[in-house]
Amino acid sequence: MSQTLTSKKVHDLIGVGFGPSNLALAIALEELAETNGYALDALFIDKQVDYRWHGNTLATQSELQISFLKDLVSLRNPTSPYSFVNYLHQKQRLVDFINLGTFYPCRLEYNDYLRWAAEHFANQAQYGEEVARIEPVLEAGKVQHLNVISRDAHGHEHSRLAHAVVVGTGGTPKVPATFTAFKDDPRVFHHSRYLSSLEALPCAQGKPMRIAIIGSGQSAAEAFIDLNDSYPSVKVDMIVRASALKPADDSPFVNEIFAPMYTDLVFNQSHPERKKLIDEYHNTNYSVVDVDLLERIYGILYRQKVAHQFRHAVLCRRQVECATATAEGIELTLQDLATHQQQTHRYDAVILATGYERRSHRELLAPLQGYLEDFSVDRDYRALASPDLQAAVYLQGFCEASHGLSDTLLSVLPARAAEIGQSLYHSLAHKAQPVPLQADIVALSRA
């Protein structure tokens, strides 16, 4: 495979992925440039051809689960031009949004907000390339630079050098072992491919289908509601291992664990105490559903009983023991975890709302593994490393074990971005090649 050194220059920073985490970092770096009097040379590489955030899951009923005030900047800088409120103002929808009387925009709108913010950094973003690996560049036995190797849609590899990298690639779809053999079967797909996969199924043309949803979290519930509302020809079974669908705890006192200051509390604990805190609040984020969505699902099932028309079902305490592909459909053998009885059901399609894993950073940074301390990080999210690794590696969204449950969520983006940005300016103080600020460029052009 051909590989080209896209540029001989050494970037101060290359961000891997340009989702909300690294977008928040780009904004923080812009603010820090004003404070420090010069900008860092930052480039962000994203595999998508244009800006989208969970674009394949944006069903009409999908709503954000946190307040719009927890946007990319407001908790750090409420006067920032990149706030959600300013986005609404620029789009001439501020009054209309106020009239909605909600703190929770739909995901479709939040995706548009993120795209709007990302457009301001188009000259710092390289879309359509997926970073394959990050390699050390040795000089006199020390790793002074990192070689970031990406691959474009044509399979060509590109190589860029950087003093520092920030890995913010997000989660990878988690596929249970029972379903790994169905990788190329269009009838079985992860929720991350929800919209495009449904479009290829007969239900998109109004034909009857029986669909199973595996999972008990917010994604599973949103898929259930969307299939009920948008595909009247579809019958749905939601298959849940737990004894019941459970509500997310988003009460005010519990929500304080997502405040930026709580990160300090978690990080300063011993490893056992950190795990205890994370386990205690597991029901705020994993395998839980917003109460209003639970009530909608229960209402749908209740009205079925009234009408004696049983279109959907929620099958609790069921574990998938076996999955078999046949010409007639996907056969799932389910075991009732209470009675241990087994039944086999046939479905036309299976949606895996089974969550995400956070391991992509390990694969990208595998060439550096010998320098890293098992991907542990310091308080500023910089990976702990041997003295021979003088180039900086930062992780965004992979530090839940050390920084708490909020690490994979939107809640701490502004604070985390500022902390990483400040650390970057400190670590690159003697390496950075200052980039003139836009105002300086204008002044020079007038001189």
Side-chain angles (χ1 to χ4, degrees):
M1 181 177 291
S2 64
Q3 184 182 119
T4 59
L5 186 63
T6 302
S7 174
K8 292 183 180 180
K9 69 182 292 186
V10 182
H11 296 278
D12 293 323
L13 161 70
I14 290 181
V16 184
F18 203 36
S21 294
N22 273 341
L23 177 54
L25 176 60
I27 295 171
L29 289 175
E30 184 178 278
E31 293 180 3
L32 287 165
E34 293 289 339
T35 303
N36 289 274
Y38 68 95
L40 297 181
D41 176 8
L43 176 71
F44 298 91
I45 304 174
D46 197 277
K47 64 182 179 181
Q48 299 184 107
V49 295
D50 56 14
Y51 198 94
R52 286 179 299 158
W53 177 63
H54 298 313
N56 225 331
T57 67
L58 298 175
T60 55
Q61 298 295 328
S62 178
E63 292 184 346
L64 204 64
Q65 293 173 268
I66 66 170
S67 167
F68 70 87
L69 291 172
K70 292 184 176 182
D71 58 19
L72 296 167
V73 288
S74 291
L75 288 180
R76 180 185 74 246
N77 179 10
T79 64
S80 169
Y82 299 106
S83 71
F84 185 78
V85 170
N86 189 48
Y87 154 78
L88 291 173
H89 174 68
Q90 296 294 329
K91 296 289 184 176
Q92 299 182 335
R93 292 200 308 270
L94 181 55
V95 172
D96 300 324
F97 185 84
I98 291 171
N99 289 339
L100 284 176
T102 181
F103 275 91
Y104 309 103
C106 68
R107 290 178 187 267
L108 194 67
E109 182 172 38
Y110 205 76
N111 179 67
D112 190 61
Y113 158 64
L114 295 174
R115 183 189 294 115
W116 168 82
E119 287 172 354
H120 293 83
F121 299 92
N123 63 337
Q124 292 180 248
Q126 176 63 55
Y127 293 104
E129 291 184 21
E130 183 172 8
V131 174
R133 60 195 181 277
I134 300 168
E135 299 176 340
V137 179
L138 287 168
E139 298 177 15
K142 306 289 185 182
V143 182
Q144 299 286 353
H145 306 134
L146 298 171
N147 188 19
V148 179
I149 299 169
S150 58
R151 189 176 298 117
D152 62 28
H154 303 291
H156 299 136
E157 286 193 345
H158 303 268
S159 176
R160 298 176 177 88
L161 300 176
H163 292 299
V165 296
V166 180
V167 180
T169 46
T172 304
K174 183 191 298 182
V175 177
T178 309
F179 294 99
T180 53
F182 296 86
K183 180 180 179 181
D184 299 318
D185 193 325
R187 299 172 297 178
V188 179
F189 53 91
H190 192 269
H191 183 262
S192 59
R193 297 189 287 120
Y194 178 76
L195 293 179
S196 61
S197 296
L198 272 183
E199 190 62 31
L201 295 178
C203 61
Q205 282 75 48
K207 297 179 181 178
M209 291 189 72
R210 190 178 184 196
I211 297 179
I213 301 173
I214 312 295
S216 58
Q218 186 74 11
S219 296
E222 289 179 355
F224 182 98
I225 292 295
D226 185 61
L227 289 171
N228 175 77
D229 293 354
S230 305
Y231 299 90
S233 63
V234 169
K235 296 181 178 180
V236 180
D237 282 354
M238 186 188 294
I239 299 170
V240 178
R241 290 188 78 255
S243 58
L245 290 174
K246 298 176 182 177
D249 188 346
D250 62 350
S251 54
F253 288 105
V254 169
N255 261 348
E256 289 188 346
I257 71 166
F258 300 120
M261 66 183 67
Y262 198 81
T263 303
D264 285 325
L265 174 66
V266 175
F267 187 83
N268 291 328
Q269 301 296 311
S270 65
H271 288 288
E273 288 302 315
R274 287 176 183 170
K275 186 178 185 305
K276 184 178 177 182
L277 284 171
I278 291 169
D279 290 345
E280 181 179 356
Y281 295 106
H282 194 266
N283 66 336
T284 61
N285 191 41
Y286 295 106
S287 299
V288 289
V289 182
D290 285 349
V291 171
D292 59 339
L293 218 53
L294 288 181
E295 292 173 345
R296 282 204 61 192
I297 292 172
Y298 197 86
I300 289 169
L301 299 178
Y302 180 79
R303 286 188 290 275
Q304 287 184 166
K305 295 178 181 179
V306 174
H308 297 283
Q309 295 176 355
F310 298 96
R311 176 183 165 195
H312 307 309
V314 175
L315 306 179
C316 296
R317 306 184 313 274
R318 301 301 201 282
Q319 179 170 284
V320 180
E321 294 291 324
C322 179
T324 306
T326 70
E328 291 76 28
I330 307 297
E331 294 183 353
L332 301 183
T333 300
L334 308 179
Q335 181 182 69
D336 188 315
L337 295 176
T339 66
H340 304 293
Q341 293 180 342
Q342 292 189 351
Q343 285 186 321
T344 298
H345 303 260
R346 181 182 295 162
Y347 298 97
D348 300 304
V350 178
I351 301 172
L352 304 175
T354 46
Y356 295 83
E357 298 176 310
R358 298 271 171 171
R359 297 187 56 84
S360 58
H361 64 301
R362 292 178 174 269
E363 298 170 7
L364 291 172
L365 296 167
L368 297 172
Q369 190 168 352
Y371 300 95
L372 301 174
E373 297 183 16
D374 194 29
F375 302 96
S376 296
V377 297
D378 209 339
R379 175 62 185 83
D380 62 0
Y381 303 92
R382 181 172 177 171
L384 299 175
S386 70
D388 290 339
L389 180 59
Q390 297 186 355
V393 175
Y394 295 84
L395 302 179
Q396 293 218 68
F398 300 102
C399 310
E400 180 180 278
S402 57
H403 287 65
L405 282 165
S406 60
D407 187 68
T408 62
L409 306 178
L410 299 175
S411 303
V412 296
L413 292 189
R416 183 173 67 195
E419 289 165 2
I420 293 175
Q422 289 162 357
S423 179
L424 280 165
Y425 266 91
H426 177 74
S427 65
L428 298 176
H430 304 296
K431 301 178 183 178
Q433 300 177 9
V435 178
L437 300 181
Q438 191 64 35
D440 297 333
I441 294 172
V442 172
L444 285 169
S445 66
R446 291 174 177 171

